[in-house]
Amino acid sequence: MPIQTDGSAADHMVVRATGKLTKEDIIQFSKDFDLFVTDRGRLRVLFDVTELEGWGSGAALWQEVKFDFKHLSNIDRLATVGAKKWQLALETAIKPFAHPTMRDFGASDMQAAHDWLVSK
């Protein structure tokens, strides 16, 4: 599964994306995310992209952009782990439209990212 979630904590979730994402992967993740938000309200999200290779098509990228604009207001704090230069460029492009506090961490800084995410 290219997108795996762990929503076992009450106030945050961990998302791990691997390989090349398809439009269908992002649509399914969006549905899952909607359920978490409906159940818990605004979330803190740790997004592990250390093994993400990108999108399998332009349609998948467009689905990602639509997800971001729809859901960024539901995210209180966003920690991204392992982002590559192209991912950081995309993140920079959406920051003016983003509501969450965002911070990037290196691939080996998973614990620091988690600590920052759950800190008050």
Side-chain angles (χ1 to χ4, degrees):
M1 181 69 153
I3 302 176
Q4 300 170 351
T5 59
D6 176 0
S8 58
D11 65 344
H12 72 275
M13 70 186 306
V14 177
V15 180
R16 184 169 189 252
T18 60
K20 289 197 178 232
L21 301 180
T22 67
K23 177 181 176 181
E24 292 75 20
D25 294 331
I26 298 166
I27 288 171
Q28 183 58 54
F29 173 67
S30 184
K31 290 176 184 176
D32 295 343
F33 192 85
D34 283 339
L35 292 174
F36 280 107
V37 169
T38 298
D39 187 45
R40 300 175 188 177
R42 286 176 56 109
L43 295 170
R44 294 179 178 205
V45 178
L46 190 154
F47 194 46
D48 178 1
V49 295
T50 53
E51 295 180 30
L52 178 64
E53 296 172 19
W55 301 270
S57 68
L61 175 57
W62 179 241
Q63 196 65 41
E64 169 74 20
V65 169
K66 292 191 308 185
F67 172 86
D68 291 346
F69 281 101
K70 178 180 178 185
H71 291 289
L72 282 175
S73 64
N74 300 122
I75 299 173
D76 180 51
R77 190 178 281 195
L78 176 64
T80 305
V81 177
K84 296 158 186 71
K85 287 183 182 181
W86 62 268
Q87 293 163 325
L88 294 173
L90 287 174
E91 185 177 299
T92 300
I94 66 165
K95 274 190 180 183
F97 309 101
H99 300 283
T101 302
M102 301 166 76
R103 187 162 169 200
D104 298 303
F105 295 85
S108 62
D109 295 327
M110 185 66 74
Q111 186 61 51
H114 184 269
D115 293 346
W116 176 81
L117 191 73
V118 299
S119 68
K120 299 293 180 205

